[in-house]
């Protein structure tokens, strides 16, 4: 049966209502992922900010309360770091994810980008709502997040923002493509391309929010260009490894840089052009990984499949740089 647009929208609203936690933030999924994921919750709250700002407010508070306080190698917790995965109902977690409980425990903090996404969410929420009371409430959390961004996360070559798991049983890759990216050989610590843009925007956001940050919180744009830009491809490489080797693969990750302060408008347009190449673009959206690369697998979780949220981030970037027709192409393909 084909559903009408109104029926699809009604179903989507019903699904969102079912995902809403008692605190007001969105669980990652039902039944298996009925818990708080830092990155996912922040992105979902941003997507729904024009529709329902209360989701963003609840998400900001929930992640602030669970912000890292101590150094814990097993859970990869560090002061100021925003959590990757937090259980809500312990009995469901043990039943569905017992292996995780024994491998790293909870809350688990193995994410390089949840902190930057949280800061960006606070910035956009306050800009939209003018909710200075919530800003004052989480200002100490923002300061701790800024300190972590400037210090604990800066472990990579060329002083890029990078990750290296502290727990050998933890997630090998800690960007949004945290599943089968391990098939691609990258020497840790790993500096992912999109993360440099996230942190550049988050550092600027902290300044706008009146939070003192040190200069190290902002990745160096010139060093980034020199290391990541692939002239022959007209886009940025996936990553730089801890050995200094550039992982020169064309991916959707570079599309997350659109509209961030680490790239010029000229470069942003070049990346946008490259996104619509035949190896990334498809009738149903942008692939995560170039079909021309040997590591491409259309049936994989993160090496070729198409992710709506990935496409949404790129869509928003296209709008920001004024490419509204291309943004509509992406939106229409995914829908």
């Amino acid at each position: 049966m084909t559903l009408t647009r109104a029926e699809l929208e009604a179903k989507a609203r019903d699904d969102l209502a079912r995902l809403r936690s008692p605190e007001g933030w969105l669980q990652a999924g039902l039944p298996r992922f009925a818990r708080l994921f830092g990155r996912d919750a922040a992105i979902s709250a941003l997507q729904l900010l024009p529709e329902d700002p209360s989701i963003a407010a609840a998400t900001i508070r929930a992640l602030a309360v669970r912000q890292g306080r101590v150094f814990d190698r097993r859970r990869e917790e560090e002061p100021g770091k925003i959590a990757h995965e937090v259980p809500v109902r312990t009995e469901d977690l043990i039943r569905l994810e017992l292996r995780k409980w024994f491998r790293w425990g909870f809350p688990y903090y193995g994410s390089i980008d949840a902190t930057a996404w949280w800061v960006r969410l606070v910035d956009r929420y306050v800009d939209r709502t003018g909710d200075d009371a919530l800003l004052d409430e989480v200002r100490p959390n923002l300061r701790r997040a800024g300190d972590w961004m400037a210090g604990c996360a800066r472990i990579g070559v060329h002083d890029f923002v990078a990750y290296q798991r502290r727990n050998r049983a933890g997630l090998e890759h800690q960007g949004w493509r945290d599943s089968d990216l391990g098939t691609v050989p990258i020497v840790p610590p790993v500096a992912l391309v999109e993360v440099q843009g996230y942190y550049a925007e988050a550092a600027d956001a902290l300044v706008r929010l009146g939070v003192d940050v040190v200069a190290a919180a902002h990745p160096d744009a010139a060093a980034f260009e020199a290391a990541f830009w692939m002239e022959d491809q007209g886009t940025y490489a996936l990553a730089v490894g801890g050995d200094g080797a550039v992982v020169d693969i064309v991916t959707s990750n570079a599309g997350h840089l659109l509209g961030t302060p680490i790239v010029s408008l000229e470069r942003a347009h070049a990346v946008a052009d490259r996104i619509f190449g035949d190896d990334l673009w498809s009738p149903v959206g942008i692939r995560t990984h170039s079909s021309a690369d040997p590591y491409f697998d259309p049936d994989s979780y993160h090496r070729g499949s198409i992710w709506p949220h990935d496409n949404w981030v790129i869509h928003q970037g296209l709008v920001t740089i004024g490419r509204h027709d291309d943004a509509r192409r992406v939106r229409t393909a995914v829908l």
Side-chain angles (χ1 to χ4, degrees):
M1 181 182 68
T2 302
L3 298 179
T4 66
R5 182 188 181 96
E7 289 170 332
L8 283 169
E9 184 172 334
K11 175 169 173 50
R13 290 180 184 280
D14 179 62
D15 287 343
L16 287 170
R18 292 174 62 208
L19 288 170
R20 197 89 179 251
S21 73
E23 294 179 44
W25 45 266
L26 295 182
Q27 300 170 94
L30 293 173
R32 183 174 176 185
F33 295 109
R35 65 198 81 127
L36 176 64
F37 278 79
R39 179 192 305 117
D40 302 52
I43 292 173
S44 297
L46 278 168
Q47 290 175 318
L48 291 162
L49 185 56
E51 174 82 11
D52 187 351
S54 71
I55 296 174
T59 303
I60 290 166
R61 288 191 170 98
L63 291 173
V65 166
R66 296 160 174 92
Q67 187 177 33
R69 299 283 180 175
V70 300
F71 288 97
D72 186 320
R73 292 179 66 89
R74 183 169 183 262
R75 294 186 291 113
E76 307 203 50
E77 179 180 358
E78 297 173 11
K81 196 175 184 181
I82 295 297
H84 170 65
E85 183 177 359
V86 183
V88 180
R89 292 184 295 272
T90 305
E91 63 276 12
D92 290 345
L93 181 69
I94 292 175
R95 177 171 57 86
L96 294 167
E97 300 285 4
L98 191 60
R99 62 188 178 86
K100 289 184 179 180
W101 191 272
F102 286 108
R103 286 169 63 188
W104 55 61
F106 290 98
Y108 179 60
Y109 290 81
S111 167
I112 188 60
D113 55 356
T115 306
W117 274 114
W118 180 77
V119 171
R120 296 164 82 191
L121 175 61
V122 176
D123 181 47
R124 296 186 194 183
Y125 169 80
V126 171
D127 180 64
R128 186 173 188 88
T129 65
D131 189 348
D132 290 333
L134 186 144
L135 175 58
D136 289 340
E137 181 183 330
V138 301
R139 194 177 295 280
N141 304 92
L142 287 165
R143 191 170 294 111
R144 287 194 289 269
D147 289 343
W148 183 79
M149 286 168 53
C152 294
R154 308 308 291 268
I155 61 174
V157 293
H158 305 303
D159 204 31
F160 295 134
V161 180
Y163 60 82
Q164 182 172 8
R165 61 182 172 183
R166 307 294 190 183
N167 176 353
R168 291 182 62 184
L171 290 172
E172 178 183 4
H173 287 288
Q174 300 187 354
W176 84 263
R177 292 171 63 182
D178 59 9
S179 181
D180 58 358
L181 191 61
T183 304
V184 181
I186 311 175
V187 175
V190 180
L192 287 173
V193 61
E194 76 276 14
V195 172
Q196 314 313 308
Y198 297 164
Y199 273 67
E201 186 175 314
D204 285 359
L206 287 171
V207 173
R208 286 192 293 271
L209 293 168
V211 178
D212 293 331
V213 292
V214 297
H218 199 306
D220 183 82
F224 170 76
E225 283 290 325
F228 281 87
W229 181 251
M230 300 187 293
E231 187 65 37
D232 60 330
Q233 292 288 353
T235 191
Y236 293 96
L238 169 63
V240 173
D243 57 353
V246 177
V247 185
D248 55 352
I249 301 173
V250 176
T251 65
S252 64
N253 297 53
H256 290 217
L257 298 173
L258 303 182
T260 67
I262 204 166
V263 296
S264 67
L265 186 59
E266 179 184 3
R267 286 287 202 239
H269 281 296
V271 172
D273 290 339
R274 186 61 183 83
I275 282 168
F276 292 99
D278 291 341
D279 58 332
L280 284 181
W281 178 247
S282 84
V284 290
I286 303 161
R287 301 181 181 97
T288 50
H289 205 97
S290 167
S291 61
D293 185 74
Y295 295 103
F296 171 76
D297 179 358
D299 295 324
S300 75
Y301 204 57
H302 281 139
R303 286 181 291 109
S305 52
I306 294 165
W307 284 66
H309 101 272
D310 180 35
N311 279 249
W312 177 82
V313 173
I314 296 170
H315 168 277
Q316 295 297 100
L318 289 167
V319 170
T320 300
I321 66 172
R323 296 184 62 145
H324 298 279
D325 289 342
D326 285 333
R328 278 190 289 271
R329 285 179 69 190
V330 174
R331 184 175 187 273
T332 300
V334 172
L335 290 177

